[in-house]
Amino acid sequence: RSPAGLPQRTINVSQLAVLPKVQRRGIQQDVHITRTGKPIITVAGGRSSLGGHTATVFGATGFLGRYIVNKLARSGCTVVVPFREEMAKRHLKVAGDLGRVVFMEMDLRNKASIEESVRHSDIVYNLIGREYPTKNFDLDDVHVWGAQRIAEAVAKYDVDRFIHVSSYNADVNSPSEFFRTKGQGEKVVRDIFPETTLVRPSRMFGFEDRLLNTLAGVSNLFTSNHMQERFWPVHAIDVGAALETMMLDDNTASQTYELFGPRNYSMAEMADIVDKEIIKHRRHINIPKRIRQPLQRLMNKALWWPVGSDDQVEREFIDQVIDPSAKTFADLGIEPAELTSLTYQYLLPFRSSSFYDLPPATEREKREEKKYLHVID
Ligand code: NDP
């Protein structure tokens, strides 16, 4: 008899085979404790899963942002999305269950708004970046000073993890202002919060990218280096998956990751692939750097929509260099996708309208079609 007085059943091992199987829902639960002692309880359950983590994603309204917000919110994490523009953030609301995605109005110049965005989180991602200077923020403001303010807030509230997205070729000695400020940003955040995980993605492609969309979307492509710059294009969804894995594995703290695709391309090779896929030819016009750079500078000042910058011209002359000491996708157990396996999917909307997948219908097929307009059963 059991201590409660109830009769105990003893089962012979040979009887186990004939016992009816009890159906149980496969509930997967886990608990782990963060660096500062917070318990993270995860329960799997589809859209209503409990992810346990509370994550703040600065720069969530951008291209890469949606892929990490989507990953976190659908696994049941609470995602804090600091935003500047009402309309820029609304697509993120549906990424997770009701109440999982929380919006906070934020401005880099408003310290209180940054602190308010990070204080309840156990992980903070900084995806904020700009390819060109804007009226109110130059590259230094966004990549160095902005990153510093976020890192200071992370350190002040002793947030468990900080993941800072920098860039490939980030280097304080680079001739490009973008790469230089990204390099300075890395240094500043590591000085303030040494456990920062640095992520250097290569040029990313995906639905909302500025790579395939530029190559396929314009009739005249202006460049200065005959499209000879080389890099390893990487799929934005793979980078999103890597950012999620970093949250789940605390061993990634204080590490630097170079995230790049499996194959190296020159811009001209990519333009060729794009032209074949969209069955159109995009004209390529080469303008010397000494003429294009001042022109871009002038246009960037005079026009109020994004027209590129002189620094983007400078970057056309810099190939991607991978830091051999940095970790890669392989260390996260992710196999990055190859560009050509996805170009069909991403470039389909750009295909020439004069191209049809099906051969033209024969006279007989046309007659048949007329005969059977709508057949049920
Ligand atoms: P996007 O340009 O698509 O998004 C940038 C994000 O940063 C947006 O959410 C934007 O907010 C925010 N942001 C920019 N300036 C400011 C500012 N002054 N104050 C507050 N927020 C600001 O970038 P991606 O998603 O393509 O890239 C993410 C990160 O990866 C960036 O840091 C980028 O530099 C880096 N990277 C990207 C590469 C690529 O190929 N795309 C290659 C290498 C690195 P808002 O919507 O309000 O403007």
Side-chain angles (χ1 to χ4, degrees):
R1 286 194 173 260
S2 70
L6 298 167
Q8 264 180 344
R9 268 183 78 196
T10 41
I11 300 168
N12 191 318
V13 180
S14 60
Q15 284 177 297
L16 280 174
V18 287
L19 279 178
K21 279 204 178 115
V22 182
Q23 291 288 323
R24 281 181 197 279
R25 268 187 65 212
I27 299 176
Q28 295 167 11
Q29 305 187 19
D30 202 0
V31 181
H32 91 264
I33 310 292
T34 66
R35 180 177 61 83
T36 57
K38 282 185 206 150
I40 303 288
I41 303 165
T42 52
V43 183
R47 192 172 165 83
S48 302
S49 301
L50 180 66
H53 292 274
T54 304
T56 302
V57 184
F58 287 96
T61 50
F63 164 45
L64 175 62
R66 72 187 65 204
Y67 296 109
I68 178 64
V69 171
N70 179 281
K71 291 245 178 238
L72 299 179
R74 76 203 274 189
S75 65
C77 296
T78 303
V79 188
V80 180
V81 173
F83 71 98
R84 302 193 291 176
E85 225 286 315
E86 279 288 334
M87 298 296 272
K89 57 140 171 90
R90 54 190 193 149
H91 60 283
L92 299 170
K93 187 76 190 169
V94 288
D97 211 351
L98 200 62
R100 283 284 178 246
V101 184
V102 182
F103 296 112
M104 299 279 303
E105 196 161 358
M106 188 276 312
D107 192 295
L108 277 181
R109 294 206 166 99
N110 184 338
K111 202 169 166 190
S113 71
I114 299 177
E115 291 183 355
E116 202 52 49
S117 303
V118 307
R119 59 187 292 187
H120 300 290
S121 298
D122 52 84
I123 178 161
V124 171
Y125 290 92
N126 178 23
L127 272 56
I128 289 181
R130 257 297 166 262
E131 295 206 328
Y132 48 86
T134 56
K135 201 164 68 240
N136 294 314
F137 295 92
D138 60 24
L139 297 188
D140 192 71
D141 290 341
V142 179
H143 299 150
V144 190
W145 178 78
Q148 179 187 335
R149 298 204 109 193
I150 292 172
E152 277 169 357
V154 166
K156 180 172 172 185
Y157 288 96
D158 199 13
V159 178
D160 295 285
R161 297 285 311 276
F162 181 44
I163 299 181
H164 175 73
V165 178
S166 177
S167 168
Y168 69 101
N169 285 356
D171 178 6
V172 286
N173 299 316
S174 175
S176 147
E177 194 189 353
F178 178 86
F179 293 145
R180 200 167 55 241
T181 51
K182 281 286 192 186
Q184 288 164 353
E186 285 187 357
K187 235 177 125 337
V188 164
V189 295
R190 270 272 165 87
D191 285 349
I192 297 168
F193 194 78
E195 294 90 0
T196 305
T197 306
L198 295 177
V199 182
R200 297 183 188 143
S202 177
R203 288 193 74 169
M204 291 181 275
F205 64 90
F207 264 122
E208 309 83 4
D209 69 7
R210 292 178 293 278
L211 183 60
L212 297 179
N213 281 297
T214 309
L215 289 175
V218 294
S219 326
N220 297 312
L221 197 63
F222 295 101
T223 64
S224 297
N225 186 25
H226 297 277
M227 301 206 270
Q228 289 311 302
E229 69 271 29
R230 299 197 75 90
F231 55 95
W232 282 264
V234 65
H235 194 202
I237 294 179
D238 290 338
V239 178
L243 292 177
E244 187 196 20
T245 311
M246 285 171 198
M247 175 186 79
L248 301 175
D249 183 359
D250 282 347
N251 292 326
T252 57
S254 324
Q255 306 291 332
T256 302
Y257 287 85
E258 289 260 7
L259 302 181
F260 53 93
R263 234 185 106 181
N264 183 277
Y265 289 94
S266 73
M267 199 60 141
E269 285 164 1
M270 285 191 58
D272 255 8
I273 294 170
V274 169
D275 276 6
K276 280 198 189 100
E277 203 68 82
I278 63 175
I279 319 169
K280 279 182 200 161
H281 180 64
R282 299 300 190 201
R283 198 178 316 129
H284 167 225
I285 301 163
N286 205 72
I287 303 175
K289 184 175 166 183
R290 62 177 192 287
I291 300 173
R292 193 158 155 245
Q293 267 193 327
L295 256 175
Q296 286 285 174
R297 211 171 300 136
L298 197 73
M299 275 170 28
N300 197 29
K301 283 229 160 17
L303 303 174
W304 51 95
W305 62 87
V307 285
S309 70
D310 53 336
D311 190 61
Q312 279 172 303
V313 179
E314 187 66 53
R315 269 178 274 154
E316 285 180 19
F317 291 83
I318 305 173
D319 289 342
Q320 180 175 2
V321 179
I322 288 165
D323 177 359
S325 65
K327 294 195 167 180
T328 63
F329 275 119
D331 298 285
L332 298 167
I334 296 172
E335 198 182 325
E338 219 283 293
L339 173 83
T340 45
S341 65
L342 290 155
T343 42
Y344 175 77
Q345 181 188 340
Y346 290 135
L347 294 171
L348 204 55
F350 293 99
R351 277 202 171 190
S352 161
S353 54
S354 58
F355 178 78
Y356 296 97
D357 274 315
L358 296 173
T362 60
E363 281 309 310
R364 180 159 173 252
E365 277 167 347
K366 281 185 197 158
R367 275 203 308 278
E368 297 276 299
E369 223 169 83
K370 267 187 203 151
K371 219 161 66 188
Y372 303 110
L373 270 182
H374 193 166
V375 184
I376 300 173
D377 293 336

